Structure formats: C-alpha cells, structure tokens
Coordinates of all heavy atoms in Angstrom, one line a residue:
V1 N 2.8 35.8 -7.2 CA 2.9 34.6 -6.4 C 4.4 34.3 -6.3 O 5.2 34.7 -7.2 CB 2.2 33.5 -7.1 CG1 2.9 33.0 -8.4 CG2 1.9 32.3 -6.2
H2 N 4.8 33.5 -5.3 CA 6.3 33.3 -5.2 C 6.9 32.5 -6.3 O 7.9 32.8 -6.8 CB 6.6 32.7 -3.8 CG 8.1 32.7 -3.5 ND1 8.8 33.8 -3.4 CD2 8.9 31.6 -3.4 CE1 10.1 33.5 -3.2 NE2 10.2 32.2 -3.1
A3 N 6.2 31.4 -6.7 CA 6.8 30.5 -7.6 C 6.0 29.9 -8.7 O 6.5 29.6 -9.8 CB 7.5 29.3 -6.9
Y4 N 4.7 29.7 -8.5 CA 3.8 29.0 -9.5 C 2.4 29.4 -9.3 O 1.8 29.3 -8.3 CB 4.0 27.5 -9.4 CG 3.1 26.7 -10.2 CD1 2.9 27.0 -11.6 CD2 2.5 25.5 -9.8 CE1 2.1 26.2 -12.4 CE2 1.7 24.7 -10.5 CZ 1.5 25.0 -11.9 OH 0.7 24.3 -12.6
W5 N 1.8 29.9 -10.5 CA 0.4 30.2 -10.4 C -0.4 29.1 -11.1 O -0.3 28.9 -12.3 CB 0.1 31.6 -11.1 CG -1.3 32.0 -10.9 CD1 -2.4 31.6 -11.6 CD2 -1.8 33.0 -10.0 NE1 -3.6 32.2 -11.1 CE2 -3.2 33.1 -10.1 CE3 -1.2 33.8 -9.1 CZ2 -4.0 33.9 -9.4 CZ3 -1.9 34.7 -8.3 CH2 -3.3 34.7 -8.5
N6 N -1.3 28.5 -10.3 CA -2.2 27.5 -10.7 C -3.5 27.8 -10.1 O -3.7 27.8 -8.9 CB -1.7 26.1 -10.3 CG -2.6 24.9 -10.7 OD1 -3.8 25.1 -10.6 ND2 -2.0 23.8 -11.1
A7 N -4.5 28.1 -10.9 CA -5.8 28.5 -10.4 C -6.4 27.5 -9.5 O -7.1 27.8 -8.5 CB -6.8 28.9 -11.6
E8 N -6.3 26.2 -9.8 CA -6.9 25.2 -9.0 C -6.2 25.1 -7.6 O -6.8 25.0 -6.6 CB -6.8 23.8 -9.7 CG -7.6 23.7 -10.9 CD -7.6 22.3 -11.5 OE1 -6.9 21.4 -10.9 OE2 -8.2 22.1 -12.6
H9 N -4.9 25.3 -7.6 CA -4.1 25.3 -6.4 C -4.6 26.5 -5.5 O -4.8 26.4 -4.3 CB -2.6 25.5 -6.6 CG -1.9 24.3 -7.1 ND1 -2.6 23.1 -7.4 CD2 -0.6 24.0 -7.4 CE1 -1.7 22.2 -7.8 NE2 -0.5 22.8 -7.9
I10 N -4.7 27.7 -6.2 CA -5.1 28.9 -5.5 C -6.5 28.7 -4.7 O -6.6 29.1 -3.6 CB -5.2 30.1 -6.4 CG1 -3.8 30.4 -7.0 CG2 -5.8 31.3 -5.8 CD1 -2.8 30.9 -6.1
T11 N -7.4 28.1 -5.4 CA -8.7 27.9 -4.9 C -8.6 27.0 -3.6 O -9.2 27.2 -2.6 CB -9.7 27.2 -5.9 OG1 -9.8 28.1 -7.0 CG2 -11.0 26.9 -5.3
K12 N -7.8 25.9 -3.7 CA -7.7 25.0 -2.6 C -7.0 25.7 -1.4 O -7.4 25.5 -0.2 CB -6.9 23.8 -3.0 CG -7.6 22.8 -3.9 CD -6.7 21.7 -4.4 CE -7.5 20.8 -5.3 NZ -6.6 19.6 -5.8
L13 N -6.0 26.5 -1.7 CA -5.3 27.1 -0.6 C -6.0 28.2 0.1 O -5.6 28.6 1.3 CB -3.9 27.7 -1.1 CG -3.0 26.6 -1.7 CD1 -1.8 27.2 -2.3 CD2 -2.6 25.6 -0.6
N14 N -7.0 28.8 -0.4 CA -7.8 29.8 0.2 C -8.4 29.3 1.5 O -8.7 30.0 2.5 CB -9.0 30.3 -0.6 CG -8.5 31.2 -1.8 OD1 -7.4 31.9 -1.6 ND2 -9.2 31.3 -2.9
S15 N -8.6 27.9 1.6 CA -9.2 27.3 2.8 C -8.3 27.3 4.0 O -8.7 27.0 5.1 CB -9.7 25.9 2.5 OG -8.6 25.1 2.2
L16 N -7.0 27.6 3.8 CA -6.0 27.5 4.9 C -6.2 28.6 5.9 O -5.8 28.5 7.1 CB -4.6 27.7 4.3 CG -4.0 26.6 3.4 CD1 -2.7 27.0 2.9 CD2 -4.0 25.2 4.0
Y17 N -6.8 29.7 5.5 CA -6.9 30.9 6.3 C -8.2 31.0 7.1 O -9.3 30.7 6.5 CB -6.7 32.2 5.5 CG -5.3 32.3 4.9 CD1 -4.9 31.6 3.8 CD2 -4.3 33.1 5.5 CE1 -3.6 31.7 3.2 CE2 -3.1 33.3 5.0 CZ -2.7 32.6 3.9 OH -1.5 32.7 3.4
E18 N -8.1 31.5 8.3 CA -9.2 31.7 9.1 C -8.9 32.9 10.0 O -7.9 32.9 10.7 CB -9.6 30.5 10.0 CG -10.9 30.7 10.7 CD -11.4 29.4 11.4 OE1 -11.8 28.5 10.7 OE2 -11.2 29.3 12.7
N19 N -9.8 33.9 10.1 CA -9.5 35.1 10.8 C -8.2 35.8 10.4 O -7.5 36.3 11.3 CB -9.6 34.8 12.3 CG -10.9 34.4 12.8 OD1 -12.0 34.8 12.3 ND2 -11.0 33.4 13.7
G20 N -7.9 35.7 9.1 CA -6.7 36.4 8.6 C -5.4 35.7 8.9 O -4.4 36.4 8.8
R21 N -5.4 34.5 9.2 CA -4.1 33.8 9.5 C -4.2 32.3 9.1 O -5.3 31.7 9.2 CB -3.9 33.9 11.0 CG -2.6 33.2 11.5 CD -2.4 33.3 13.0 NE -2.2 34.7 13.4 CZ -2.1 35.1 14.6 NH1 -2.2 34.2 15.6 NH2 -1.8 36.3 14.9
I22 N -3.1 31.7 8.7 CA -3.1 30.3 8.5 C -3.2 29.5 9.8 O -2.5 29.7 10.7 CB -1.8 29.8 7.8 CG1 -1.5 30.6 6.5 CG2 -1.8 28.4 7.5 CD1 -0.2 30.2 5.8
R23 N -4.3 28.7 9.8 CA -4.5 28.0 11.1 C -3.5 26.9 11.3 O -2.9 26.3 10.4 CB -5.9 27.3 11.0 CG -7.1 28.3 10.9 CD -8.4 27.6 10.9 NE -8.6 26.8 12.1 CZ -9.6 25.9 12.3 NH1 -10.5 25.7 11.3 NH2 -9.8 25.3 13.4
K24 N -3.2 26.7 12.6 CA -2.1 25.7 12.9 C -2.5 24.3 12.4 O -1.5 23.6 12.0 CB -1.9 25.7 14.4 CG -0.7 24.8 14.9 CD -0.4 24.9 16.3 CE 0.8 24.1 16.7 NZ 1.1 24.2 18.2
K25 N -3.7 24.0 12.5 CA -4.1 22.6 12.0 C -3.7 22.4 10.5 O -3.4 21.3 10.0 CB -5.5 22.3 12.3 CG -6.5 22.9 11.3 CD -7.9 22.3 11.6 CE -8.9 22.7 10.6 NZ -10.2 22.1 10.8
Y26 N -3.8 23.5 9.8 CA -3.4 23.4 8.3 C -1.9 23.5 8.1 O -1.4 23.0 7.1 CB -4.1 24.5 7.6 CG -5.6 24.3 7.4 CD1 -6.6 25.2 7.8 CD2 -6.1 23.1 6.9 CE1 -7.9 24.9 7.7 CE2 -7.4 22.8 6.7 CZ -8.4 23.8 7.1 OH -9.7 23.5 7.0
L27 N -1.2 24.1 9.0 CA 0.3 24.0 9.0 C 0.7 22.6 9.0 O 1.7 22.1 8.4 CB 0.9 24.8 10.1 CG 0.8 26.3 10.0 CD1 1.4 26.9 11.3 CD2 1.5 26.9 8.8
K28 N 0.0 21.8 9.8 CA 0.3 20.3 9.9 C 0.0 19.6 8.6 O 0.7 18.7 8.2 CB -0.5 19.7 11.1 CG -0.1 20.2 12.4 CD -1.0 19.6 13.5 CE -0.6 20.1 14.9 NZ -1.5 19.6 16.0
E29 N -1.0 20.1 7.9 CA -1.4 19.5 6.6 C -0.4 19.8 5.5 O -0.1 18.9 4.7 CB -2.8 20.1 6.2 CG -4.0 19.6 7.0 CD -4.3 18.2 6.7 OE1 -4.5 17.8 5.5 OE2 -4.4 17.3 7.6
I30 N 0.1 21.0 5.5 CA 1.0 21.4 4.4 C 2.4 20.7 4.5 O 3.1 20.7 3.5 CB 1.1 22.9 4.2 CG1 1.8 23.5 5.5 CG2 -0.2 23.5 3.9 CD1 2.1 25.0 5.4
V31 N 2.7 20.2 5.6 CA 4.0 19.5 5.7 C 3.8 18.0 5.7 O 4.8 17.2 5.7 CB 4.7 19.8 7.0 CG1 5.0 21.3 7.1 CG2 3.9 19.4 8.3
N32 N 2.6 17.5 5.5 CA 2.3 16.1 5.4 C 2.1 15.7 3.9 O 1.2 16.1 3.2 CB 1.0 15.8 6.2 CG 0.5 14.4 6.0 OD1 1.2 13.5 5.5 ND2 -0.7 14.1 6.5
K33 N 3.0 14.9 3.4 CA 3.0 14.5 2.0 C 1.8 13.8 1.6 O 1.5 13.7 0.4 CB 4.3 13.7 1.7 CG 5.6 14.6 1.7 CD 6.8 13.8 1.3 CE 8.0 14.6 1.3 NZ 9.2 13.9 0.9
E34 N 1.1 13.2 2.5 CA -0.2 12.5 2.2 C -1.4 13.4 2.1 O -2.5 12.9 1.7 CB -0.4 11.4 3.3 CG 0.7 10.4 3.4 CD 1.1 9.7 2.1 OE1 0.1 9.3 1.4 OE2 2.3 9.5 1.8
S35 N -1.2 14.6 2.5 CA -2.4 15.5 2.5 C -2.7 16.0 1.1 O -1.8 16.3 0.3 CB -2.1 16.7 3.4 OG -3.0 17.8 3.3
P36 N -4.0 16.2 0.8 CA -4.3 16.8 -0.5 C -3.9 18.2 -0.7 O -3.9 18.8 -1.8 CB -5.8 16.7 -0.5 CG -6.3 16.6 0.9 CD -5.2 15.8 1.6
L37 N -3.5 18.9 0.4 CA -3.0 20.3 0.4 C -1.5 20.3 0.1 O -1.0 21.4 -0.2 CB -3.3 21.0 1.7 CG -4.8 21.3 1.9 CD1 -5.0 21.8 3.3 CD2 -5.4 22.2 0.9
Y38 N -0.8 19.2 0.3 CA 0.7 19.3 0.2 C 1.2 19.7 -1.2 O 2.0 20.7 -1.2 CB 1.3 17.9 0.5 CG 2.8 17.9 0.5 CD1 3.5 18.4 1.5 CD2 3.4 17.4 -0.7 CE1 4.9 18.3 1.5 CE2 4.8 17.3 -0.7 CZ 5.6 17.8 0.3 OH 6.9 17.8 0.3
V39 N 0.7 19.1 -2.2 CA 1.2 19.5 -3.6 C 0.8 20.9 -4.0 O 1.7 21.7 -4.4 CB 0.8 18.4 -4.6 CG1 1.1 18.9 -6.0 CG2 1.5 17.1 -4.4

C-alpha cells in the first residue's frame, strides 16, 4: 500500500471500482471532506 494499511479502510475503498476503474462519481467523493470515503 502506498502509505497506510487499515483493513476497514480497504473494505470501504473496494466500492470505488467498477469494471476495473475508479468511477468518476467516486472521484468526486474522495475529494469531498464531508464524504465518508474521504478519510
């Protein structure tokens, strides 16, 4: 992993991918500090 291994984070981040790519709608989530995916 690039910086930090946290099993709970890993489980949540698996949902970002669809058809082998991070979906654009989730790119918007990861830059939004209010999103549960941000941290």
